[in-house]
Amino acid sequence: RIFVLGIGFFTLCFLMTSLGGQFSAKRLGDSPFTIRTEVMGALESRGVLRRMSDMLEMLMKRMDILARLENSTDFHKGDEARFPLDRFQPAAGLMERIQAIAQNVSEIAIKVDQILRNSLLNGKVMEGRRDQCEVPRDPKYPDCAGKVEWMRARWTSDPCYAFFGVDGTECSFLIYLSEVEWFCPPLPWRNRTVAVPSPPPPPRAQAAFRRDLARLLELIGTGKESLSFMKKRIRHLAQQWLRAARRLEQRLAGQQRDQKHILVHIGFLTEESGDVFSPRVLKGGPLGEMVQWADILAALFMLGHSLKVTVSLKELQSHLGVPPGRGNCPLTSPLPFDLIYTDYHGLQQMKQHMGLSFKKYRCRVRVIDTFGTEPAYNHEEYATLRGYRTNWGYWNLQPTQFMTMFPHTPDNSFMGFVSEELNQTERQLIKANKVSSMAVVYGKEASIWKGKEKFLSILNKYMEIHGTVYYETQRPPEVPAFVKNHGLLPQHEFQQLLRKAKLFIGFGFPYEGPAPLEAIANGCVFLQARFNPPHSSLNHEFFRGKPTSREATGTAVFQVSSQHPYAEDFIGKPHVWTVDYNNSEEFEAAIKTIMRTQVDPYLPYEYTCEGMLERIHAYIQHQDFCTTSSLPPSPKTKSPAMQSPPSPLALSPNSTHLVWSPSAGWAPQAWPPVASLQVWVSEPQHTCTETCRRHGLVCEPTFFRFLNKEEVFLQLGVACDSTEYEMNHLYPAVAENVRECYLQKEPLLFSCAGHHAKYRRLCPCRDFRQGQVALCRDCL
């Protein structure tokens, strides 16, 4: 009897444990997409409950039979019975408990069965609804049907679709295309909360000029020689950045400056792009890009903005909120950055991993682009049709989103970099210690010296020649024996060499690097070769494939007429000499004159720390590419009843060009301010860049929209027998021989570059601040 009672008790414990395990398998937080798994769990639980009920009932019956048998035996034995009836009272209590449990289990089984049936019914309704969705025919969503068809065929091509809940059913396609993307209308049966007006956003934190660069050095990180180089440069210039920030802060006193959240992604340093630069930092490789990136980071940080810095694709994906997969889906949340500074490699990486979000947020991108991107190469359709397509162009960005190292073309924004500024004591020391017969050659790679023996021999007659060519064990054979080669020098030692030297001489390559400006800032004269014909993408391999033609026009303005066009055009003699190296007499005469010429260290303001801070501050405050302005309607679409408002432009007092009329009565919200606008007509075969420069001005492409009107031709005295809107990067323009006028149909093609013998172009020009060509006089 005791044995049977024990077996019953342990069986009960086992069954209750099993029951608990079955119900613990239910997770309240499971996704609704696991409904089939839960249905199987419910079926299994119902079977276990039934088996438990049956076993408990059988156990109760057997214990009842045993009790009856024992009672009968005890009555026959009478007084001799050793086990009176009250000894079975506990067993009777146990039986009552087992009976109660059995009843509860039976009731639970019934309830589970009811829940299961309801779940199956609801599941069938939901599955039917999910499988029976029809593609809506809504004219507001013309691409919906095509996108659904694409999803049917390719939804498994990227795991990101499953991440957003796509499971192969029509409804999951429509849910995704209406709630994650925006190609289809919302489904009426989807649970959607009523839109509640959101409270106004809290005031933006204000940017405050920083007093220390230590935090920036932490943000840049470690692990690459390129990063170490940039951090060394920032440390070296730290005091100059701090002084410049204090001066600009005083000038901007009282101005409200919202703090921007900025992502800086240096794409060319990522492993995915090959990172060919980092291994060459210590071997004489090009450092110009890293110089510029270091200065951009320092300027953004000193201006008080919040930065994130990435040099890996994984970090980029994390900061952007890229869903798992292959990059076809939008970001998982709104972009947390106001601005993104990157390069062409980073731009490509963002496009590959942001899905439709790239198109949505590309207006926040700023592309650091050493040589620039002209509008004709930037517009994908136009570049493809007209033969301007290259490996680097066709992004359909606003051209001023591209930011260059030098002001190659006003179509792009000039970002620049900085050179070290000398104080008065340093300037005097340099002048006192200059060696008039000492020259330093511009070129750290031995290949640059190849074939230059003729120039070097002439130079060696007058000067001691120094080189900084990288080598590991043996002296490079390209470097003549009479050259004193120091090997690759750290930046501060290279500067000390420049402070002694009289001449810094270039051999035609590399193009447009920072070193000539550093040499001039340290009191050297820069001697460079004149290119005849000028180099461009049409005749030189280096520029072929780059999204800029830099082609020649009537005069040498921003074309590659020398190794360093900026130094030639913006600085010039006595600091910069540009001669024909193929003419030995001209070359030798230049050397003799340079040796006799006294020059002071010179640095253009726009390449000082303060100049760069001023420029980037203005861009961040005023450039807005996310708010677009529309062109006036085409003449073909104008209503006869429509009357054009009077032109806000008026002839200048000398009747040579147009200006913004003081009596216009209104001025648009434009930057640069329209008060700086002047409209000139170019000569045939001249670019607008050249036309404006001839009048002491700078071409300003953002002003094209104000002169892309038929009445502007009339105001300038240009007769038009016909006027057409077309896509052409030379328009607005007039073909005077046939009196045909052309207006620009595509705003992205407004361009200061480009010329043709057939056309005279309408050119928007503006004034500029002394030493700061990127900004007009009232641009701050």
Side-chain angles (χ1 to χ4, degrees):
R1 289 192 298 270
I2 294 174
F3 176 76
V4 172
L5 287 171
I7 291 297
F9 177 74
F10 284 112
T11 302
L12 177 62
C13 292
F14 170 76
L15 291 173
M16 293 306 296
T17 303
S18 300
L19 178 64
Q22 287 296 324
F23 283 106
S24 67
K26 176 65 179 174
R27 299 181 302 255
L28 298 178
D30 275 344
S31 164
F33 293 105
T34 61
I35 184 170
R36 296 183 183 275
T37 303
E38 294 304 328
V39 168
M40 291 303 296
L43 285 169
E44 190 175 331
S45 297
R46 182 176 65 175
V48 170
L49 287 168
R50 286 178 176 172
R51 289 195 296 273
M52 289 172 62
S53 180
D54 293 342
M55 292 176 68
L56 286 167
E57 186 177 355
M58 186 188 311
L59 179 62
M60 185 179 64
K61 287 179 180 179
R62 289 182 179 178
M63 292 185 69
D64 185 53
I65 292 171
L66 180 61
R68 289 179 184 176
L69 177 62
E70 194 63 42
N71 287 340
S72 174
T73 305
D74 286 339
F75 280 122
H76 284 296
K77 289 185 178 180
D79 293 337
E80 296 179 0
R82 296 185 180 181
F83 301 98
L85 187 60
D86 59 357
R87 295 286 301 275
F88 284 91
Q89 302 257 342
L94 179 60
M95 288 177 61
E96 291 174 2
R97 292 190 183 94
I98 292 174
Q99 188 173 7
I101 292 171
Q103 181 65 29
N104 289 337
V105 170
S106 179
E107 291 174 359
I108 291 172
I110 294 171
K111 290 181 180 179
V112 168
D113 189 61
Q114 291 174 346
I115 292 171
L116 175 62
R117 293 188 182 196
N118 290 335
S119 297
L120 287 172
L121 180 62
N122 292 336
K124 288 180 179 179
V125 172
M126 182 61 70
E127 287 297 321
R129 182 176 288 173
R130 289 171 62 82
D131 290 334
Q132 293 174 11
C133 282
E134 294 184 0
V135 179
R137 305 294 177 184
D138 190 332
K140 296 179 182 177
Y141 299 88
D143 299 323
C144 183
K147 291 294 180 179
V148 171
E149 188 67 29
W150 188 95
M151 292 290 287
R152 288 193 195 110
R154 298 182 178 87
W155 76 272
T156 58
S157 64
D158 194 325
C160 73
Y161 297 118
F163 173 83
F164 282 110
V166 177
D167 61 3
T169 60
E170 292 289 291
C171 287
S172 69
F173 298 153
L174 291 170
I175 291 170
Y176 174 85
L177 291 171
S178 62
E179 298 178 14
V180 179
E181 297 185 1
W182 44 88
F183 293 106
C184 296
L187 298 177
W189 53 269
R190 289 284 290 176
N191 291 329
R192 297 192 304 277
T193 57
V194 179
V196 178
S198 57
R204 292 288 296 263
Q206 292 299 293
F209 284 92
R210 290 196 167 92
R211 300 286 184 261
D212 185 85
L213 284 160
R215 175 59 184 151
L216 175 60
L217 300 177
E218 295 176 9
L219 288 172
I220 293 174
T222 59
K224 291 177 178 284
E225 288 293 341
S226 50
L227 298 180
S228 298
F229 172 85
M230 288 192 281
K231 289 164 75 172
K232 288 177 182 177
R233 177 175 175 82
I234 291 171
R235 288 192 195 98
H236 180 70
L237 294 172
Q239 292 305 311
Q240 298 213 4
W241 283 115
L242 294 171
R243 287 194 294 270
R246 284 194 292 270
R247 290 194 295 267
L248 185 59
E249 183 178 20
Q250 292 172 357
R251 291 168 51 203
L252 299 178
Q255 281 198 23
Q256 294 291 307
R257 298 189 307 118
D258 289 344
Q259 186 184 58
K260 304 293 186 182
H261 295 279
I262 299 176
L263 175 65
V264 179
H265 177 62
I266 310 176
F268 76 90
L269 293 183
T270 62
E271 297 300 327
E272 290 76 11
S273 69
D275 188 13
V276 298
F277 286 85
S278 293
R280 300 176 63 192
V281 168
L282 302 178
K283 297 183 179 181
L287 301 177
E289 287 85 353
M290 281 172 276
V291 164
Q292 187 179 34
W293 275 109
D295 296 345
I296 291 170
L297 286 167
L300 293 173
F301 186 79
M302 291 305 300
L303 287 169
H305 299 293
S306 174
L307 301 187
K308 295 284 186 183
V309 183
T310 67
V311 290
S312 79
L313 181 58
K314 186 176 180 180
E315 289 178 332
L316 174 68
Q317 292 172 319
S318 175
H319 287 311
L320 294 178
V322 175
R326 298 189 177 93
N328 290 302
C329 298
L331 303 180
T332 57
S333 59
L335 186 70
F337 301 103
D338 301 300
L339 295 170
I340 299 176
Y341 287 82
T342 189
D343 52 26
Y344 264 122
H345 294 283
L347 195 64
Q348 183 66 44
Q349 290 167 352
M350 291 196 314
K351 183 178 181 181
Q352 289 175 346
H353 294 278
M354 289 177 67
L356 285 177
S357 295
F358 178 79
K359 184 176 182 180
K360 180 178 180 180
Y361 293 120
R362 64 183 176 184
C363 60
R364 303 187 191 183
V365 174
R366 307 293 184 265
V367 184
I368 307 305
D369 177 15
T370 302
F371 294 99
T373 298
E374 293 174 11
Y377 295 80
N378 171 60
H379 192 282
E380 183 174 17
E381 178 186 358
Y382 186 79
T384 303
L385 292 174
R386 300 294 185 96
Y388 290 104
R389 191 179 178 102
T390 69
N391 293 333
W392 299 104
Y394 63 84
W395 286 95
N396 291 329
L397 299 178
Q398 293 292 332
T400 38
Q401 287 180 256
F402 298 98
M403 306 186 119
T404 59
M405 183 171 282
F406 292 95
H408 309 297
T409 166
D411 290 324
N412 302 147
S413 297
F414 164 45
M415 172 59 76
F417 59 94
V418 304
S419 286
E420 188 169 357
E421 199 172 0
L422 305 177
N423 59 39
Q424 193 59 36
T425 302
E426 290 171 325
R427 295 167 67 90
Q428 294 299 327
L429 282 174
I430 286 175
K431 290 180 68 174
N433 295 326
K434 278 290 178 185
V435 179
S436 61
S437 59
M438 178 178 172
V440 175
V441 175
Y442 181 18
K444 296 175 291 184
E445 297 188 56
S447 59
I448 296 173
W449 295 65
K450 189 174 182 179
K452 306 299 188 298
E453 295 83 0
K454 180 180 177 182
F455 316 136
L456 290 169
S457 297
I458 296 174
L459 181 61
N460 187 48
K461 294 193 308 184
Y462 302 95
M463 290 186 164
E464 180 182 76
I465 305 174
H466 294 251
T468 58
V469 182
Y470 169 79
Y471 66 96
E472 292 183 355
T473 55
Q474 291 185 333
R475 180 186 177 93
E478 295 87 348
V479 180
F482 54 76
V483 174
K484 185 177 181 180
N485 185 30
H486 299 263
L488 194 63
L489 293 177
Q491 185 66 17
H492 68 280
E493 293 184 26
F494 179 63
Q495 278 201 325
Q496 293 303 317
L497 192 65
L498 291 177
R499 291 184 178 188
K500 290 182 180 179
K502 175 73 173 183
L503 177 68
F504 189 62
I505 181 171
F507 285 152
F509 190 84
Y511 296 103
E512 300 175 310
L517 263 66
E518 294 177 350
I520 295 167
N522 282 288
C524 293
V525 173
F526 177 51
L527 177 63
Q528 63 174 346
R530 179 184 299 115
F531 300 149
N532 190 17
H535 293 179
S536 72
S537 60
L538 304 178
N539 63 12
H540 201 275
E541 188 62 32
F542 179 83
F543 290 100
R544 192 164 291 125
K546 290 181 170 57
T548 174
S549 62
R550 303 289 293 275
E551 53 188 322
T553 60
T555 61
V557 179
F558 296 117
Q559 64 193 38
V560 190
S561 56
S562 61
Q563 182 174 352
H564 208 291
Y566 176 87
E568 178 184 7
D569 296 328
F570 284 82
I571 301 176
K573 293 181 180 179
H575 303 280
V576 180
W577 289 65
T578 305
V579 301
D580 182 2
Y581 279 22
N582 293 320
N583 185 329
S584 300
E585 293 180 358
E586 182 182 356
F587 179 76
E588 191 166 358
I591 294 172
K592 292 178 181 178
T593 305
I594 289 170
M595 292 179 69
R596 296 192 302 266
T597 304
Q598 295 295 319
V599 296
D600 293 329
Y602 173 73
L603 180 62
Y605 173 75
E606 56 200 354
Y607 284 97
T608 65
C609 290
E610 185 177 356
M612 188 169 186
L613 285 172
E614 177 184 88
R615 189 165 58 249
I616 294 181
H617 154 74
Y619 290 154
I620 292 175
Q621 285 290 98
H622 300 291
Q623 284 186 334
D624 180 8
F625 303 114
C626 298
T627 303
T628 57
S629 58
S630 59
L631 278 172
S634 165
K636 295 180 181 179
T637 63
K638 283 185 180 178
S639 166
M642 290 177 61
Q643 294 294 324
S644 298
S647 173
L649 300 173
L651 273 174
S652 64
N654 58 7
S655 301
T656 57
H657 61 280
L658 299 180
V659 296
W660 195 269
S661 174
S663 60
W666 67 282
Q669 291 294 323
W671 190 84
V674 291
S676 63
L677 168 63
Q678 296 184 26
V679 183
W680 291 82
V681 182
S682 78
E683 295 298 322
Q685 199 72 18
H686 283 200
T687 68
C688 281
T689 300
E690 180 181 358
T691 298
C692 294
R693 186 176 170 91
R694 283 187 162 194
H695 298 289
L697 304 168
V698 174
C699 183
E700 180 51 62
T702 60
F703 286 158
F704 269 112
R705 59 192 174 107
F706 299 122
L707 51 99
N708 193 49
K709 301 175 183 179
E710 185 176 1
E711 55 263 31
V712 175
F713 287 109
L714 299 177
Q715 286 182 283
L716 287 166
V718 177
C720 301
D721 288 346
S722 65
T723 304
E724 298 291 337
Y725 273 76
E726 293 184 12
M727 278 203 322
N728 191 311
H729 71 287
L730 302 178
Y731 296 165
V734 56
E736 283 193 316
N737 57 334
V738 290
R739 295 163 62 104
E740 293 176 349
C741 295
Y742 299 92
L743 298 176
Q744 182 59 259
K745 184 178 179 181
E746 172 51 68
L748 289 180
L749 286 173
F750 283 137
S751 177
C752 295
H755 61 86
H756 195 282
K758 175 181 177 181
Y759 298 119
R760 296 182 69 196
R761 302 186 57 191
L762 293 188
C763 298
C765 308
R766 63 161 170 84
D767 56 38
F768 59 93
R769 297 170 66 85
Q770 186 66 34
Q772 184 74 287
V773 70
L775 303 180
C776 68
R777 290 172 190 158
D778 297 325
C779 276
L780 284 181

